[in-house]
Every structure is written in structure tokens, then in C-alpha cells.
Amino acid sequence: MTRAATTPAAERPLLEVRRLAKHFPVRRGVLSRVSGWVRAVDDVSLSIAPGETLALVGESGSGKTTTGRCILRLLEPTAGEVRFDGVDLLALPPREMRRMRRQIQVIFQDPYSSLNPRMRIGTIVREPLDIHRIGSGRRERDEMVARLLQRVGLDPAMMRRYPHEFSGGQRQRIGVARALALRPRLIVADEPVSALDVSVQAQVINLLIDLQEEFHIAYLFIAHDLAVVERIADRVAVMYLGKLVEVAATAEMFKNPLHPYTKALLQAIPVPDPARAREREALRGDLPSPADPPPGCRFHTRCPVVIEVCRKVEPPLVEVTPGHWAACHLVPGPGGPDGRRG
Ligand code: SF4
């Protein structure tokens, strides 16, 4: 097997995902018979180096959140491998997986629904420390919580308040403090700024960048919008209907996108210049149902440059230039990941 599609060659990955798949049954009728399968994630390989940010980008329904949940083992994958620091997470018994979770934390999109409204902020942030019995006792853990709150830009005196007393941005900072409590090496951030105003988004992204520099955390940063990942991501993986369609270093992806879907996502980013705005071509149509994806290239029903072969033959993900991968019949490449064009 070749190295996962997104590993910088020189670094040993912290996270390595190989050929990950997650299929959900579609049930029909009074007997709930399985009438088909939704291939929410289909043969996805990616990896993240220590201290790196990989952004996973795609529309709602592309499978990016399901990928994140399979990595966290909040969902059991149908097939594939997830290795963290060389350890096969899918083979770990529950007890060892709980220990491993110290190193892999999550930040959710909606900080309000992910924070227990009946718990005080201090208790919410302290909970992971309590569960893993970090520190010598309650007092020491409370001191740790105070330092964490301060580090994410909140007044430690707010420890006794409840989530509803905070703004959306402050609540996301609380979510970040909780994720940070156990000093994780990887954080899966699932649309962490999507629910926030643009100005607040920038503040939270700056905080995540600062924390990464300080603690050498790796992020899998899941987003539906390419614009929000430009500052934070080292590399970007674009996903469409359960498949990766393009992977590249961020600057390269923005300067030289190869896949028509990536180009459409980039063109959808609002620009202040009206002359450029007129050039933009909107992404045509809706995302087809993942329960019944189009044959051949899954993007062919919306692709502005579709050719006949696209309707029948699925294009493989190939490394076009070092580190830049794309899955499109119109993209010339030196060969497939294993040296052959499929
Ligand atoms: Fe468009 Fe064909 Fe490329 Fe798919 S393979 S993105 S349909 S040109």
C-alpha cells in the first residue's frame, strides 16, 4: 500500500487514516429491511503530522463530519485503519481507547449544545481532569481550570457562571479550554467557527493558531467553507460525496486548484471587488443523495467541464505534482498513487 495521500514525505504521521469507509444502512418498510447503503465515507486516506493542521473541506453531506467521528471512534468505521502515533485505534479495547482519548480531543460546531447548560463553566472544563484524575485533588484541578480559562482569553472569575451567560464566541473558547485540559496532541475541530460571526471567527482561529504554536497540537479542522481554512491550514483535503477529490498544501490549493469542484468552492468565496464577483461561476445544482451517488465521477452531474468518460469511469486520486493530489479525468498526472493511472 502506498503512503496515505496527505502525508508530507519527511514526517512520521501522528494520525494516519487508510482506506476509511463508513456505510449506513437505508431501512424501508414496517420490517425496516435494509434496502440500500449510504456510503458516507468511501475509501478515504489521509494523515496529519505532529503540530500540523489539515483542513477537511466540503459541503454539508460530503462525509467530512462522519470521517472525523470515525477517527474519534464516536462511530465505528465499516472498513479501514486509523492509526494514532502508530497505534491501531480500531483494535483498541474500550479501556485503552479511553486512555488514548486523553491525546485526541474534539471541539464541536455548536458550543451551546455541546456544553451542559446545567453545569457551571468551571465544572465543564474540570470534568476531563476529574475523569482522568489529573492533579492531586479538587483544589489543584480548579487552579488548572483557572489557568486554562485565562489562556483562552476568559476571566477565571467566570468559573461559577453557566453557559447561557456567555456569547457564542466565549462559549467556543470554553469548548477550546475543555479540549485543551488534557494537553492533547490532536484536536478534531468540527466546524468550530461556522456558527460564529465573521469577526469572532477570526478571533477563535487566531486563538487556535496560538495554542498550536504553544502546545504543538495537530488539528483536523473540518469546515464547509474554504475561506475560513486559508489562515489556519497547512494542507487542505477537499471531499465530495464521501470521496477525497483534491489534497494539497494550502497556498498551492488556493493558487493552483486542479479539480473543478475545488475551483467552484474557491469561486464561491465572497470577494469585495464587484468586477471579480461577476466572473464567479456558482456551483450548479444540489449535492446528489449519498444513498444514490452518480456513477463514474461523483461530481459529473454538476461539473461544468464534464466529458463522456466521466459518466462511467471513476477517476482515481493521483499525485499530480509532489504533495498535490487530484481525482479528475481532465487533470494530467504522472501516474496513480501506486504508479499507475487507474
Ligand atoms: Fe468533471 Fe469529469 Fe473531472 Fe469529474 S472527472 S471533475 S466530471 S471533468
PDB file of all heavy atoms in Angstrom, residues 202-239:
ATOM      1  N   ALA A 202     -12.538  35.021  13.309  1.00  0.00           N
ATOM      2  CA  ALA A 202     -11.108  35.340  13.193  1.00  0.00           C
ATOM      3  C   ALA A 202     -10.438  35.249  14.565  1.00  0.00           C
ATOM      4  O   ALA A 202      -9.319  34.739  14.684  1.00  0.00           O
ATOM      5  CB  ALA A 202     -10.935  36.741  12.600  1.00  0.00           C
ATOM      6  N   GLN A 203     -11.131  35.696  15.608  1.00  0.00           N
ATOM      7  CA  GLN A 203     -10.535  35.642  16.961  1.00  0.00           C
ATOM      8  C   GLN A 203     -10.313  34.201  17.406  1.00  0.00           C
ATOM      9  O   GLN A 203      -9.274  33.860  17.963  1.00  0.00           O
ATOM     10  CB  GLN A 203     -11.448  36.335  17.971  1.00  0.00           C
ATOM     11  CG  GLN A 203     -11.551  37.841  17.785  1.00  0.00           C
ATOM     12  CD  GLN A 203     -12.704  38.429  18.579  1.00  0.00           C
ATOM     13  OE1 GLN A 203     -13.282  37.768  19.450  1.00  0.00           O
ATOM     14  NE2 GLN A 203     -13.059  39.659  18.278  1.00  0.00           N
ATOM     15  N   VAL A 204     -11.315  33.350  17.147  1.00  0.00           N
ATOM     16  CA  VAL A 204     -11.188  31.947  17.581  1.00  0.00           C
ATOM     17  C   VAL A 204     -10.091  31.253  16.762  1.00  0.00           C
ATOM     18  O   VAL A 204      -9.298  30.477  17.300  1.00  0.00           O
ATOM     19  CB  VAL A 204     -12.552  31.217  17.478  1.00  0.00           C
ATOM     20  CG1 VAL A 204     -12.394  29.723  17.752  1.00  0.00           C
ATOM     21  CG2 VAL A 204     -13.550  31.821  18.462  1.00  0.00           C
ATOM     22  N   ILE A 205     -10.020  31.558  15.475  1.00  0.00           N
ATOM     23  CA  ILE A 205      -8.963  30.953  14.650  1.00  0.00           C
ATOM     24  C   ILE A 205      -7.588  31.419  15.130  1.00  0.00           C
ATOM     25  O   ILE A 205      -6.656  30.618  15.241  1.00  0.00           O
ATOM     26  CB  ILE A 205      -9.211  31.261  13.159  1.00  0.00           C
ATOM     27  CG1 ILE A 205     -10.349  30.362  12.685  1.00  0.00           C
ATOM     28  CG2 ILE A 205      -7.952  31.046  12.313  1.00  0.00           C
ATOM     29  CD1 ILE A 205     -10.743  30.475  11.262  1.00  0.00           C
ATOM     30  N   ASN A 206      -7.463  32.700  15.454  1.00  0.00           N
ATOM     31  CA  ASN A 206      -6.180  33.189  15.996  1.00  0.00           C
ATOM     32  C   ASN A 206      -5.816  32.454  17.283  1.00  0.00           C
ATOM     33  O   ASN A 206      -4.662  32.091  17.500  1.00  0.00           O
ATOM     34  CB  ASN A 206      -6.254  34.694  16.283  1.00  0.00           C
ATOM     35  CG  ASN A 206      -6.226  35.500  15.004  1.00  0.00           C
ATOM     36  OD1 ASN A 206      -5.844  34.986  13.949  1.00  0.00           O
ATOM     37  ND2 ASN A 206      -6.648  36.758  15.076  1.00  0.00           N
ATOM     38  N   LEU A 207      -6.821  32.236  18.130  1.00  0.00           N
ATOM     39  CA  LEU A 207      -6.568  31.512  19.389  1.00  0.00           C
ATOM     40  C   LEU A 207      -6.070  30.095  19.090  1.00  0.00           C
ATOM     41  O   LEU A 207      -5.087  29.634  19.676  1.00  0.00           O
ATOM     42  CB  LEU A 207      -7.863  31.467  20.223  1.00  0.00           C
ATOM     43  CG  LEU A 207      -7.793  30.588  21.479  1.00  0.00           C
ATOM     44  CD1 LEU A 207      -6.814  31.171  22.495  1.00  0.00           C
ATOM     45  CD2 LEU A 207      -9.187  30.455  22.120  1.00  0.00           C
ATOM     46  N   LEU A 208      -6.732  29.416  18.147  1.00  0.00           N
ATOM     47  CA  LEU A 208      -6.322  28.040  17.817  1.00  0.00           C
ATOM     48  C   LEU A 208      -4.897  28.021  17.266  1.00  0.00           C
ATOM     49  O   LEU A 208      -4.113  27.126  17.584  1.00  0.00           O
ATOM     50  CB  LEU A 208      -7.299  27.421  16.806  1.00  0.00           C
ATOM     51  CG  LEU A 208      -8.714  27.140  17.340  1.00  0.00           C
ATOM     52  CD1 LEU A 208      -9.641  26.691  16.217  1.00  0.00           C
ATOM     53  CD2 LEU A 208      -8.692  26.098  18.453  1.00  0.00           C
ATOM     54  N   ILE A 209      -4.552  29.019  16.464  1.00  0.00           N
ATOM     55  CA  ILE A 209      -3.186  29.087  15.902  1.00  0.00           C
ATOM     56  C   ILE A 209      -2.169  29.307  17.035  1.00  0.00           C
ATOM     57  O   ILE A 209      -1.133  28.645  17.104  1.00  0.00           O
ATOM     58  CB  ILE A 209      -3.091  30.209  14.843  1.00  0.00           C
ATOM     59  CG1 ILE A 209      -3.924  29.836  13.606  1.00  0.00           C
ATOM     60  CG2 ILE A 209      -1.635  30.474  14.444  1.00  0.00           C
ATOM     61  CD1 ILE A 209      -4.091  30.964  12.596  1.00  0.00           C
ATOM     62  N   ASP A 210      -2.493  30.221  17.953  1.00  0.00           N
ATOM     63  CA  ASP A 210      -1.574  30.491  19.082  1.00  0.00           C
ATOM     64  C   ASP A 210      -1.370  29.235  19.930  1.00  0.00           C
ATOM     65  O   ASP A 210      -0.253  28.908  20.331  1.00  0.00           O
ATOM     66  CB  ASP A 210      -2.147  31.592  19.990  1.00  0.00           C
ATOM     67  CG  ASP A 210      -2.090  32.958  19.321  1.00  0.00           C
ATOM     68  OD1 ASP A 210      -1.428  33.070  18.272  1.00  0.00           O
ATOM     69  OD2 ASP A 210      -2.721  33.892  19.849  1.00  0.00           O
ATOM     70  N   LEU A 211      -2.469  28.539  20.199  1.00  0.00           N
ATOM     71  CA  LEU A 211      -2.375  27.334  21.035  1.00  0.00           C
ATOM     72  C   LEU A 211      -1.570  26.250  20.338  1.00  0.00           C
ATOM     73  O   LEU A 211      -0.814  25.514  20.969  1.00  0.00           O
ATOM     74  CB  LEU A 211      -3.778  26.810  21.368  1.00  0.00           C
ATOM     75  CG  LEU A 211      -4.631  27.734  22.245  1.00  0.00           C
ATOM     76  CD1 LEU A 211      -6.056  27.210  22.361  1.00  0.00           C
ATOM     77  CD2 LEU A 211      -4.008  27.885  23.635  1.00  0.00           C
ATOM     78  N   GLN A 212      -1.722  26.183  19.023  1.00  0.00           N
ATOM     79  CA  GLN A 212      -0.953  25.187  18.269  1.00  0.00           C
ATOM     80  C   GLN A 212       0.538  25.464  18.386  1.00  0.00           C
ATOM     81  O   GLN A 212       1.337  24.557  18.604  1.00  0.00           O
ATOM     82  CB  GLN A 212      -1.378  25.227  16.803  1.00  0.00           C
ATOM     83  CG  GLN A 212      -0.642  24.220  15.941  1.00  0.00           C
ATOM     84  CD  GLN A 212      -1.261  24.126  14.575  1.00  0.00           C
ATOM     85  OE1 GLN A 212      -1.414  25.140  13.896  1.00  0.00           O
ATOM     86  NE2 GLN A 212      -1.625  22.932  14.165  1.00  0.00           N
ATOM     87  N   GLU A 213       0.901  26.752  18.269  1.00  0.00           N
ATOM     88  CA  GLU A 213       2.323  27.099  18.386  1.00  0.00           C
ATOM     89  C   GLU A 213       2.851  26.782  19.779  1.00  0.00           C
ATOM     90  O   GLU A 213       3.947  26.275  19.947  1.00  0.00           O
ATOM     91  CB  GLU A 213       2.525  28.588  18.066  1.00  0.00           C
ATOM     92  CG  GLU A 213       2.629  28.803  16.566  1.00  0.00           C
ATOM     93  CD  GLU A 213       2.516  30.261  16.173  1.00  0.00           C
ATOM     94  OE1 GLU A 213       2.667  31.140  17.043  1.00  0.00           O
ATOM     95  OE2 GLU A 213       2.260  30.519  14.977  1.00  0.00           O
ATOM     96  N   GLU A 214       2.039  27.075  20.779  1.00  0.00           N
ATOM     97  CA  GLU A 214       2.490  26.881  22.157  1.00  0.00           C
ATOM     98  C   GLU A 214       2.562  25.398  22.552  1.00  0.00           C
ATOM     99  O   GLU A 214       3.502  24.975  23.208  1.00  0.00           O
ATOM    100  CB  GLU A 214       1.528  27.623  23.095  1.00  0.00           C
ATOM    101  CG  GLU A 214       2.000  27.662  24.515  1.00  0.00           C
ATOM    102  CD  GLU A 214       1.110  28.563  25.366  1.00  0.00           C
ATOM    103  OE1 GLU A 214       0.399  29.437  24.826  1.00  0.00           O
ATOM    104  OE2 GLU A 214       1.131  28.375  26.598  1.00  0.00           O
ATOM    105  N   PHE A 215       1.572  24.624  22.130  1.00  0.00           N
ATOM    106  CA  PHE A 215       1.485  23.238  22.615  1.00  0.00           C
ATOM    107  C   PHE A 215       1.770  22.194  21.540  1.00  0.00           C
ATOM    108  O   PHE A 215       1.634  21.000  21.800  1.00  0.00           O
ATOM    109  CB  PHE A 215       0.096  22.987  23.228  1.00  0.00           C
ATOM    110  CG  PHE A 215      -0.225  23.888  24.381  1.00  0.00           C
ATOM    111  CD1 PHE A 215      -1.196  24.872  24.279  1.00  0.00           C
ATOM    112  CD2 PHE A 215       0.467  23.767  25.577  1.00  0.00           C
ATOM    113  CE1 PHE A 215      -1.493  25.716  25.342  1.00  0.00           C
ATOM    114  CE2 PHE A 215       0.185  24.603  26.656  1.00  0.00           C
ATOM    115  CZ  PHE A 215      -0.793  25.580  26.541  1.00  0.00           C
ATOM    116  N   HIS A 216       2.099  22.661  20.340  1.00  0.00           N
ATOM    117  CA  HIS A 216       2.423  21.735  19.240  1.00  0.00           C
ATOM    118  C   HIS A 216       1.279  20.732  19.016  1.00  0.00           C
ATOM    119  O   HIS A 216       1.490  19.522  18.895  1.00  0.00           O
ATOM    120  CB  HIS A 216       3.742  20.996  19.534  1.00  0.00           C
ATOM    121  CG  HIS A 216       4.378  20.439  18.295  1.00  0.00           C
ATOM    122  ND1 HIS A 216       4.718  21.202  17.219  1.00  0.00           N
ATOM    123  CD2 HIS A 216       4.709  19.168  17.943  1.00  0.00           C
ATOM    124  CE1 HIS A 216       5.242  20.446  16.270  1.00  0.00           C
ATOM    125  NE2 HIS A 216       5.236  19.198  16.684  1.00  0.00           N
ATOM    126  N   ILE A 217       0.064  21.274  18.944  1.00  0.00           N
ATOM    127  CA  ILE A 217      -1.112  20.416  18.717  1.00  0.00           C
ATOM    128  C   ILE A 217      -1.312  20.270  17.211  1.00  0.00           C
ATOM    129  O   ILE A 217      -1.079  21.214  16.451  1.00  0.00           O
ATOM    130  CB  ILE A 217      -2.388  21.082  19.297  1.00  0.00           C
ATOM    131  CG1 ILE A 217      -2.192  21.449  20.756  1.00  0.00           C
ATOM    132  CG2 ILE A 217      -3.612  20.204  19.130  1.00  0.00           C
ATOM    133  CD1 ILE A 217      -3.236  22.447  21.261  1.00  0.00           C
ATOM    134  N   ALA A 218      -1.757  19.086  16.788  1.00  0.00           N
ATOM    135  CA  ALA A 218      -2.194  18.912  15.399  1.00  0.00           C
ATOM    136  C   ALA A 218      -3.713  19.088  15.363  1.00  0.00           C
ATOM    137  O   ALA A 218      -4.406  18.717  16.308  1.00  0.00           O
ATOM    138  CB  ALA A 218      -1.815  17.523  14.908  1.00  0.00           C
ATOM    139  N   TYR A 219      -4.206  19.679  14.276  1.00  0.00           N
ATOM    140  CA  TYR A 219      -5.661  19.829  14.124  1.00  0.00           C
ATOM    141  C   TYR A 219      -6.139  19.123  12.864  1.00  0.00           C
ATOM    142  O   TYR A 219      -5.515  19.259  11.794  1.00  0.00           O
ATOM    143  CB  TYR A 219      -6.064  21.302  13.948  1.00  0.00           C
ATOM    144  CG  TYR A 219      -5.826  22.216  15.114  1.00  0.00           C
ATOM    145  CD1 TYR A 219      -5.103  23.390  14.956  1.00  0.00           C
ATOM    146  CD2 TYR A 219      -6.361  21.939  16.373  1.00  0.00           C
ATOM    147  CE1 TYR A 219      -4.892  24.262  16.016  1.00  0.00           C
ATOM    148  CE2 TYR A 219      -6.149  22.814  17.441  1.00  0.00           C
ATOM    149  CZ  TYR A 219      -5.420  23.964  17.256  1.00  0.00           C
ATOM    150  OH  TYR A 219      -5.216  24.817  18.302  1.00  0.00           O
ATOM    151  N   LEU A 220      -7.267  18.424  12.998  1.00  0.00           N
ATOM    152  CA  LEU A 220      -8.075  18.098  11.829  1.00  0.00           C
ATOM    153  C   LEU A 220      -9.206  19.107  11.876  1.00  0.00           C
ATOM    154  O   LEU A 220     -10.068  19.042  12.753  1.00  0.00           O
ATOM    155  CB  LEU A 220      -8.624  16.664  11.898  1.00  0.00           C
ATOM    156  CG  LEU A 220      -9.567  16.300  10.736  1.00  0.00           C
ATOM    157  CD1 LEU A 220      -8.835  16.336   9.404  1.00  0.00           C
ATOM    158  CD2 LEU A 220     -10.195  14.926  10.949  1.00  0.00           C
ATOM    159  N   PHE A 221      -9.159  20.073  10.964  1.00  0.00           N
ATOM    160  CA  PHE A 221     -10.070  21.207  11.014  1.00  0.00           C
ATOM    161  C   PHE A 221     -11.130  21.012   9.933  1.00  0.00           C
ATOM    162  O   PHE A 221     -10.837  21.106   8.742  1.00  0.00           O
ATOM    163  CB  PHE A 221      -9.268  22.497  10.778  1.00  0.00           C
ATOM    164  CG  PHE A 221     -10.025  23.760  11.045  1.00  0.00           C
ATOM    165  CD1 PHE A 221      -9.843  24.456  12.232  1.00  0.00           C
ATOM    166  CD2 PHE A 221     -10.909  24.271  10.109  1.00  0.00           C
ATOM    167  CE1 PHE A 221     -10.537  25.632  12.485  1.00  0.00           C
ATOM    168  CE2 PHE A 221     -11.613  25.444  10.346  1.00  0.00           C
ATOM    169  CZ  PHE A 221     -11.425  26.129  11.544  1.00  0.00           C
ATOM    170  N   ILE A 222     -12.344  20.705  10.371  1.00  0.00           N
ATOM    171  CA  ILE A 222     -13.419  20.390   9.424  1.00  0.00           C
ATOM    172  C   ILE A 222     -14.223  21.660   9.150  1.00  0.00           C
ATOM    173  O   ILE A 222     -14.599  22.379  10.085  1.00  0.00           O
ATOM    174  CB  ILE A 222     -14.326  19.287  10.019  1.00  0.00           C
ATOM    175  CG1 ILE A 222     -13.506  17.997  10.201  1.00  0.00           C
ATOM    176  CG2 ILE A 222     -15.543  19.032   9.132  1.00  0.00           C
ATOM    177  CD1 ILE A 222     -14.210  16.910  10.988  1.00  0.00           C
ATOM    178  N   ALA A 223     -14.458  21.948   7.868  1.00  0.00           N
ATOM    179  CA  ALA A 223     -15.168  23.189   7.518  1.00  0.00           C
ATOM    180  C   ALA A 223     -15.902  22.999   6.198  1.00  0.00           C
ATOM    181  O   ALA A 223     -15.519  22.166   5.385  1.00  0.00           O
ATOM    182  CB  ALA A 223     -14.184  24.347   7.400  1.00  0.00           C
ATOM    183  N   HIS A 224     -16.965  23.778   5.985  1.00  0.00           N
ATOM    184  CA  HIS A 224     -17.644  23.682   4.689  1.00  0.00           C
ATOM    185  C   HIS A 224     -17.206  24.811   3.767  1.00  0.00           C
ATOM    186  O   HIS A 224     -17.608  24.874   2.617  1.00  0.00           O
ATOM    187  CB  HIS A 224     -19.171  23.682   4.858  1.00  0.00           C
ATOM    188  CG  HIS A 224     -19.716  24.923   5.484  1.00  0.00           C
ATOM    189  ND1 HIS A 224     -20.022  25.003   6.826  1.00  0.00           N
ATOM    190  CD2 HIS A 224     -19.980  26.135   4.967  1.00  0.00           C
ATOM    191  CE1 HIS A 224     -20.454  26.224   7.087  1.00  0.00           C
ATOM    192  NE2 HIS A 224     -20.432  26.926   5.982  1.00  0.00           N
ATOM    193  N   ASP A 225     -16.355  25.683   4.278  1.00  0.00           N
ATOM    194  CA  ASP A 225     -16.031  26.913   3.575  1.00  0.00           C
ATOM    195  C   ASP A 225     -14.508  27.024   3.461  1.00  0.00           C
ATOM    196  O   ASP A 225     -13.806  27.014   4.475  1.00  0.00           O
ATOM    197  CB  ASP A 225     -16.614  28.036   4.451  1.00  0.00           C
ATOM    198  CG  ASP A 225     -16.381  29.400   3.860  1.00  0.00           C
ATOM    199  OD1 ASP A 225     -15.681  29.492   2.849  1.00  0.00           O
ATOM    200  OD2 ASP A 225     -16.904  30.366   4.441  1.00  0.00           O
ATOM    201  N   LEU A 226     -14.013  27.112   2.240  1.00  0.00           N
ATOM    202  CA  LEU A 226     -12.558  27.201   2.073  1.00  0.00           C
ATOM    203  C   LEU A 226     -11.985  28.483   2.674  1.00  0.00           C
ATOM    204  O   LEU A 226     -10.839  28.510   3.122  1.00  0.00           O
ATOM    205  CB  LEU A 226     -12.204  27.148   0.581  1.00  0.00           C
ATOM    206  CG  LEU A 226     -11.915  25.763   0.002  1.00  0.00           C
ATOM    207  CD1 LEU A 226     -11.795  25.847  -1.515  1.00  0.00           C
ATOM    208  CD2 LEU A 226     -10.641  25.171   0.581  1.00  0.00           C
ATOM    209  N   ALA A 227     -12.802  29.553   2.686  1.00  0.00           N
ATOM    210  CA  ALA A 227     -12.274  30.839   3.150  1.00  0.00           C
ATOM    211  C   ALA A 227     -11.776  30.754   4.592  1.00  0.00           C
ATOM    212  O   ALA A 227     -10.742  31.339   4.929  1.00  0.00           O
ATOM    213  CB  ALA A 227     -13.349  31.922   3.031  1.00  0.00           C
ATOM    214  N   VAL A 228     -12.488  30.015   5.448  1.00  0.00           N
ATOM    215  CA  VAL A 228     -12.096  30.021   6.873  1.00  0.00           C
ATOM    216  C   VAL A 228     -10.823  29.221   7.126  1.00  0.00           C
ATOM    217  O   VAL A 228     -10.196  29.377   8.168  1.00  0.00           O
ATOM    218  CB  VAL A 228     -13.197  29.511   7.840  1.00  0.00           C
ATOM    219  CG1 VAL A 228     -14.462  30.308   7.732  1.00  0.00           C
ATOM    220  CG2 VAL A 228     -13.478  28.046   7.676  1.00  0.00           C
ATOM    221  N   VAL A 229     -10.431  28.347   6.186  1.00  0.00           N
ATOM    222  CA  VAL A 229      -9.277  27.497   6.480  1.00  0.00           C
ATOM    223  C   VAL A 229      -7.966  28.081   5.957  1.00  0.00           C
ATOM    224  O   VAL A 229      -6.893  27.589   6.284  1.00  0.00           O
ATOM    225  CB  VAL A 229      -9.463  26.053   5.945  1.00  0.00           C
ATOM    226  CG1 VAL A 229     -10.776  25.479   6.430  1.00  0.00           C
ATOM    227  CG2 VAL A 229      -9.356  25.976   4.445  1.00  0.00           C
ATOM    228  N   GLU A 230      -8.059  29.139   5.142  1.00  0.00           N
ATOM    229  CA  GLU A 230      -6.850  29.635   4.475  1.00  0.00           C
ATOM    230  C   GLU A 230      -5.759  30.017   5.469  1.00  0.00           C
ATOM    231  O   GLU A 230      -4.585  29.739   5.268  1.00  0.00           O
ATOM    232  CB  GLU A 230      -7.198  30.826   3.574  1.00  0.00           C
ATOM    233  CG  GLU A 230      -6.013  31.245   2.705  1.00  0.00           C
ATOM    234  CD  GLU A 230      -6.375  32.304   1.686  1.00  0.00           C
ATOM    235  OE1 GLU A 230      -7.511  32.831   1.737  1.00  0.00           O
ATOM    236  OE2 GLU A 230      -5.511  32.620   0.843  1.00  0.00           O
ATOM    237  N   ARG A 231      -6.153  30.636   6.586  1.00  0.00           N
ATOM    238  CA  ARG A 231      -5.141  31.089   7.552  1.00  0.00           C
ATOM    239  C   ARG A 231      -4.604  29.971   8.426  1.00  0.00           C
ATOM    240  O   ARG A 231      -3.432  29.955   8.779  1.00  0.00           O
ATOM    241  CB  ARG A 231      -5.741  32.175   8.479  1.00  0.00           C
ATOM    242  CG  ARG A 231      -5.635  33.547   7.879  1.00  0.00           C
ATOM    243  CD  ARG A 231      -5.620  34.608   8.946  1.00  0.00           C
ATOM    244  NE  ARG A 231      -4.484  34.500   9.832  1.00  0.00           N
ATOM    245  CZ  ARG A 231      -4.561  34.488  11.160  1.00  0.00           C
ATOM    246  NH1 ARG A 231      -5.721  34.593  11.753  1.00  0.00           N
ATOM    247  NH2 ARG A 231      -3.482  34.411  11.889  1.00  0.00           N
ATOM    248  N   ILE A 232      -5.465  29.026   8.756  1.00  0.00           N
ATOM    249  CA  ILE A 232      -5.066  28.059   9.785  1.00  0.00           C
ATOM    250  C   ILE A 232      -4.467  26.779   9.209  1.00  0.00           C
ATOM    251  O   ILE A 232      -3.652  26.129   9.860  1.00  0.00           O
ATOM    252  CB  ILE A 232      -6.264  27.727  10.723  1.00  0.00           C
ATOM    253  CG1 ILE A 232      -5.772  26.986  11.966  1.00  0.00           C
ATOM    254  CG2 ILE A 232      -7.357  26.950  10.031  1.00  0.00           C
ATOM    255  CD1 ILE A 232      -6.784  26.866  13.067  1.00  0.00           C
ATOM    256  N   ALA A 233      -4.849  26.418   7.979  1.00  0.00           N
ATOM    257  CA  ALA A 233      -4.478  25.083   7.492  1.00  0.00           C
ATOM    258  C   ALA A 233      -3.105  25.072   6.824  1.00  0.00           C
ATOM    259  O   ALA A 233      -2.754  25.981   6.083  1.00  0.00           O
ATOM    260  CB  ALA A 233      -5.524  24.592   6.493  1.00  0.00           C
ATOM    261  N   ASP A 234      -2.328  24.011   7.106  1.00  0.00           N
ATOM    262  CA  ASP A 234      -1.093  23.780   6.353  1.00  0.00           C
ATOM    263  C   ASP A 234      -1.429  23.109   5.033  1.00  0.00           C
ATOM    264  O   ASP A 234      -0.830  23.397   4.010  1.00  0.00           O
ATOM    265  CB  ASP A 234      -0.154  22.870   7.153  1.00  0.00           C
ATOM    266  CG  ASP A 234       0.263  23.515   8.452  1.00  0.00           C
ATOM    267  OD1 ASP A 234       0.942  24.553   8.383  1.00  0.00           O
ATOM    268  OD2 ASP A 234      -0.111  23.017   9.530  1.00  0.00           O
ATOM    269  N   ARG A 235      -2.365  22.171   5.114  1.00  0.00           N
ATOM    270  CA  ARG A 235      -2.828  21.491   3.905  1.00  0.00           C
ATOM    271  C   ARG A 235      -4.343  21.408   3.927  1.00  0.00           C
ATOM    272  O   ARG A 235      -4.960  21.471   4.996  1.00  0.00           O
ATOM    273  CB  ARG A 235      -2.221  20.088   3.812  1.00  0.00           C
ATOM    274  CG  ARG A 235      -0.734  20.106   3.464  1.00  0.00           C
ATOM    275  CD  ARG A 235      -0.147  18.703   3.430  1.00  0.00           C
ATOM    276  NE  ARG A 235      -0.386  18.021   4.679  1.00  0.00           N
ATOM    277  CZ  ARG A 235      -0.917  16.809   4.772  1.00  0.00           C
ATOM    278  NH1 ARG A 235      -1.236  16.139   3.697  1.00  0.00           N
ATOM    279  NH2 ARG A 235      -1.109  16.259   5.957  1.00  0.00           N
ATOM    280  N   VAL A 236      -4.920  21.235   2.729  1.00  0.00           N
ATOM    281  CA  VAL A 236      -6.370  21.155   2.607  1.00  0.00           C
ATOM    282  C   VAL A 236      -6.728  19.879   1.852  1.00  0.00           C
ATOM    283  O   VAL A 236      -6.098  19.560   0.833  1.00  0.00           O
ATOM    284  CB  VAL A 236      -6.929  22.377   1.829  1.00  0.00           C
ATOM    285  CG1 VAL A 236      -8.448  22.280   1.713  1.00  0.00           C
ATOM    286  CG2 VAL A 236      -6.533  23.686   2.507  1.00  0.00           C
ATOM    287  N   ALA A 237      -7.724  19.158   2.365  1.00  0.00           N
ATOM    288  CA  ALA A 237      -8.276  17.999   1.654  1.00  0.00           C
ATOM    289  C   ALA A 237      -9.733  18.318   1.348  1.00  0.00           C
ATOM    290  O   ALA A 237     -10.499  18.663   2.252  1.00  0.00           O
ATOM    291  CB  ALA A 237      -8.175  16.754   2.534  1.00  0.00           C
ATOM    292  N   VAL A 238     -10.093  18.256   0.066  1.00  0.00           N
ATOM    293  CA  VAL A 238     -11.461  18.581  -0.344  1.00  0.00           C
ATOM    294  C   VAL A 238     -12.227  17.277  -0.557  1.00  0.00           C
ATOM    295  O   VAL A 238     -11.736  16.350  -1.207  1.00  0.00           O
ATOM    296  CB  VAL A 238     -11.454  19.420  -1.642  1.00  0.00           C
ATOM    297  CG1 VAL A 238     -12.879  19.693  -2.116  1.00  0.00           C
ATOM    298  CG2 VAL A 238     -10.719  20.740  -1.417  1.00  0.00           C
ATOM    299  N   MET A 239     -13.418  17.219   0.011  1.00  0.00           N
ATOM    300  CA  MET A 239     -14.214  15.997  -0.007  1.00  0.00           C
ATOM    301  C   MET A 239     -15.526  16.241  -0.745  1.00  0.00           C
ATOM    302  O   MET A 239     -16.139  17.306  -0.588  1.00  0.00           O
ATOM    303  CB  MET A 239     -14.492  15.605   1.453  1.00  0.00           C
ATOM    304  CG  MET A 239     -14.662  14.144   1.647  1.00  0.00           C
ATOM    305  SD  MET A 239     -14.632  13.745   3.400  1.00  0.00           S
ATOM    306  CE  MET A 239     -15.164  12.058   3.249  1.00  0.00           C
TER     307      MET A 239
END
